[in-house]
Amino acid sequence: MSAELLTVDTVAAYIASRAPLAELVDVSTLSVVEVGDGNLNLVFIASDAAGASLVLKQSLPYVRMVGESWPLSQDRILAEARGYDAAIALSPESSPVYYGFDEPRRIIAIEDLSDWTVWRRSLNDGRITPGAAAIIGRHVARIGFGTSVFGRGPADVKRAIAASINIDLCQISEDLIFTQPYIDHPDNAWTPGLDEAVRSLREGGLIDEIAALKHAFVTHAEALIHGDLHTGSVFVPADGSTGARIFDIEFSFYGPIAFDLGSFFGNVLLAQQRAAVLDRPAEFQDWLDGLIAEAWDAFESEFRALWPSRVDASYTDAFLDGWLRQTWSLAVGFGGAKAIRRIVGLAKASDIESLEPSDHDTAAAEVLRIARSWVERRESIANAAELSTVGR
Ligand code: SR1
Ligand code: MG
């Protein structure tokens, strides 16, 4: 049975009924707006006359971007609550403040970051936000290390894997990222100018490489990952200062740590091609070109810094070197797959979609060309400097 859905008219009474939330805002002067512009959920901002505010997120019993014809269990918000529990425990400074979870109503409450900007929008506007990529890299390292067999005992990890299965949303990722872009599927769509570029994805060995990446996604139950860590899942400060807050964790499950890094890499590629076609200033494009190195370097440094605290010393230093190499290659491959899906399949990205038609096709074709190289050459691309030259 579905949990009763909130509306702008019932949010104040709901907050009043939840003592920890009622302490955060004055419910007698509350104004409420529904701001959900993502693909799946209801999101409300409740603000009082003195300026105090909070955000409520409730899962709908269907996929918002499609409608009730695509039912989806509201249970997915359990994964988001687990994701916040881990993020708050292991990487609190790069997470919104988490005010808790109402399991029966399928509602989580978090800090209102309305005075921040979703990073994708800020990138689309050509704004430099220093240090955000490093924060993402450190965040992935801290949660990846802390929830894996490096940071927790094996029995604990096995229990966590069992507790964090997220069947419906993993199925969405498997379908939208690794399957549908490479077959005829009604949810795929592209402009006529991209026809040849898209059709050619099915030629040569790309689908075999995508199969290997899909297998890694489905079977590498390594750590509790975010599962959808694109630039639309990150808030950055609107004033250009350094910071990042990672949100929207409903796709979390025990999967490959490289998937979160790759999700970010693929979205950087979208931002880069948008910037190139719009001829953004060199300073902005150069900064974009450094984001993957910034994220990876921070990830690797943080992981190496945490390594001496691992709970099982039978994982040797040489093993770590090999694991990092593997994680890098896999992240590059996932990055390519994530970029391709945003051009071909359901749920596209505004970086490319908001471009004028001719710019759109130029940028999208470049994304496909470079992303393909990332996937196919991922094992031989040594580092971020080399990655930045691939396909260019
Ligand atoms: C049907 S859900 C479509 C997409 O929205 C989310 O942001 C995920 O990326 C998912 O693949
Ligand atoms: Mg999302």
Side-chain angles (χ1 to χ4, degrees):
M1 207 179 73
S2 293
E4 182 193 339
L5 295 179
L6 289 169
T7 69
V8 285
D9 299 324
T10 60
V11 163
Y14 172 77
I15 292 175
S17 74
R18 307 269 307 165
L21 301 184
E23 283 172 12
L24 299 171
V25 286
D26 172 5
V27 286
S28 69
T29 65
L30 218 52
S31 64
V32 179
V33 279
E34 203 282 312
V35 295
D37 63 352
N39 296 328
L40 295 174
N41 305 293
L42 290 172
V43 182
F44 298 90
I45 300 177
S47 322
D48 68 17
S53 58
L54 59 85
V55 165
L56 299 178
K57 176 173 177 177
Q58 185 177 37
S59 49
L60 285 162
Y62 53 86
V63 174
R64 181 176 183 149
M65 68 179 292
V66 173
E68 295 185 38
S69 62
W70 186 345
L72 191 65
S73 167
Q74 289 178 290
D75 293 355
R76 63 186 182 273
I77 204 133
L78 298 170
E80 180 131 23
R82 276 192 297 272
Y84 275 118
D85 284 341
I88 296 308
L90 296 164
S91 188
E93 62 277 22
S94 39
S95 303
V97 178
Y98 177 46
Y99 299 130
F101 179 41
D102 175 356
E103 183 168 344
R105 290 292 301 274
R106 301 307 197 234
I107 295 167
I108 59 163
I110 59 171
E111 179 186 10
D112 174 21
L113 290 169
S114 299
D115 52 349
W116 292 51
T117 311
V118 172
W119 201 8
R120 192 187 301 286
R121 285 184 209 140
S122 157
L123 291 166
N124 285 353
D125 292 345
R127 287 200 298 114
I128 291 176
T129 47
I135 293 172
I136 289 176
R138 274 193 295 277
H139 182 85
V140 173
R142 286 174 185 165
I143 297 175
F145 184 91
T147 61
S148 71
V149 290
F150 308 134
R152 301 165 74 162
D156 201 11
V157 169
K158 287 178 182 73
R159 277 190 288 271
I161 291 171
S164 71
I165 55 168
N166 192 359
I167 294 171
D168 291 347
L169 294 206
C170 283
Q171 186 68 58
I172 289 177
S173 295
E174 289 155 34
D175 292 343
L176 268 58
I177 301 166
F178 301 106
T179 305
Q180 293 174 4
Y182 307 95
I183 60 172
D184 290 331
H185 191 280
D187 289 340
N188 291 339
W190 56 83
T191 55
L194 288 176
D195 208 40
E196 200 185 320
V198 173
R199 300 264 169 220
S200 71
L201 296 173
R202 301 181 197 177
E203 293 160 8
L206 183 66
I207 56 171
D208 304 320
E209 300 303 330
I210 294 291
L213 291 167
K214 182 178 188 177
H215 188 253
F217 178 79
V218 172
T219 62
H220 287 199
E222 198 170 42
L224 189 70
I225 64 168
H226 180 288
D228 197 25
L229 215 182
H230 53 74
T231 51
S233 298
V234 181
F235 278 111
V236 290
D239 61 5
S241 60
T242 296
R245 299 279 189 275
I246 293 147
F247 67 104
D248 232 0
I249 328 180
E250 67 211 316
F251 281 78
S252 78
F253 74 111
Y254 261 74
I257 293 171
F259 187 74
D260 280 350
L261 296 165
S263 298
F264 177 63
F265 294 179
N267 280 267
V268 170
L269 178 58
L270 301 178
Q272 286 171 333
Q273 295 312 312
R274 174 188 176 85
V277 86
L278 292 178
D279 202 18
R280 294 284 197 213
E283 187 198 4
F284 179 68
Q285 294 202 47
D286 291 347
W287 171 75
L288 280 179
D289 288 346
L291 289 183
I292 291 177
E294 183 183 319
W296 175 263
D297 291 350
F299 168 78
E300 178 173 355
S301 302
E302 187 68 11
F303 221 93
R304 287 191 185 283
L306 291 165
W307 192 244
S309 68
R310 66 196 179 281
V311 296
D312 182 351
S314 61
Y315 295 111
T316 63
D317 291 349
F319 165 83
L320 174 62
D321 292 341
W323 181 86
L324 284 167
R325 269 196 303 278
Q326 242 175 31
T327 298
W328 164 256
S329 303
L330 209 45
V332 170
F334 284 137
K338 292 283 282 188
I340 291 170
R341 61 77 57 108
R342 295 288 182 199
I343 304 297
V344 179
L346 186 71
K348 295 189 165 43
S350 61
D351 318 45
I352 305 297
E353 288 310 291
S354 63
L355 293 167
E356 294 298 323
S358 71
D359 283 346
H360 170 276
D361 284 6
T362 305
E366 277 299 275
V367 169
L368 292 180
R369 196 176 62 76
I370 296 168
R372 178 181 194 134
S373 299
W374 284 16
V375 172
E376 292 183 331
R377 295 171 54 190
R378 66 189 184 283
E379 307 275 1
S380 64
I381 299 167
N383 51 41
E386 207 177 308
L387 184 68
S388 68
T389 68
V390 170
R392 309 197 191 179

